[in-house]
Amino acid sequence: MSDLADLHRAAFGADGAHGWSPAALRAALDDPSLIVVVHADAYAIARPILDEAELLLIGTRAQARRNGAATAALAALETSLQARGVAKIILEVAARNAPARAFYARHGFRQAGIRQGYYRTEDGTDDAVLLERDLGSAP
């Protein structure tokens, strides 16, 4: 757990991200309904339900960004999901999060919808962009 908590702090800072406290991370590791993959300097957490999975969180140590760590974590997660019969992965990302949106686009995710005003921000709200990708398709 300390490795994941340290990695999460290195990815998102001391305040964490999206409500993922150290206790939430500990619970994720103990939750059999979640898949948690830690790969070098990145990690990913997903919730599979039947033949679909929601990517809940992906994080990369700040100094390791743009070196393939997140790609490796995502690939390891997808392999694990496919082994469980998952055919599609879905996620949501803040519309203003251009680096994350570019990352997902490079990995073959396509827009499936928008949730207007979903995220609260310091200056109001931001839309959530819903993305999806069939796991059988190559990026």
Side-chain angles (χ1 to χ4, degrees):
M1 166 54 198
S2 64
D3 290 345
L4 182 57
D6 291 344
L7 185 52
H8 183 70
R9 203 170 14 267
F12 295 106
D15 294 337
H18 313 292
W20 287 88
S21 65
L25 290 169
R26 192 170 25 263
L29 287 172
D30 294 335
D31 186 339
S33 73
L34 298 180
I35 306 230
V36 180
V37 172
V38 178
H39 192 277
D41 289 319
Y43 68 96
I45 302 172
R47 179 184 317 276
I49 300 173
L50 300 174
D51 66 343
E52 206 170 80
E54 181 181 9
L55 177 61
L56 300 172
L57 188 62
I58 188 166
T60 304
R61 192 177 302 278
Q63 63 270 27
R65 291 188 182 135
R66 300 195 187 278
N67 74 357
T71 295
L74 181 60
L77 177 70
E78 290 176 352
T79 297
S80 182
L81 291 170
Q82 286 176 309
R84 287 171 169 77
V86 172
K88 181 189 288 186
I89 190 164
I90 60 172
L91 63 102
E92 60 193 35
V93 62
R96 294 182 198 170
N97 190 343
R101 291 182 67 189
F103 171 81
Y104 294 121
R106 281 192 309 275
H107 290 85
F109 285 83
R110 63 188 181 285
Q111 185 171 321
I114 294 193
R115 290 187 178 131
Q116 294 184 347
Y118 185 77
Y119 294 110
R120 292 182 185 195
T121 64
E122 290 179 9
D123 58 348
T125 63
D126 192 9
D127 296 341
V129 179
L130 307 176
L131 302 174
E132 65 181 22
R133 182 165 81 80
D134 294 333
L135 289 179
S137 64

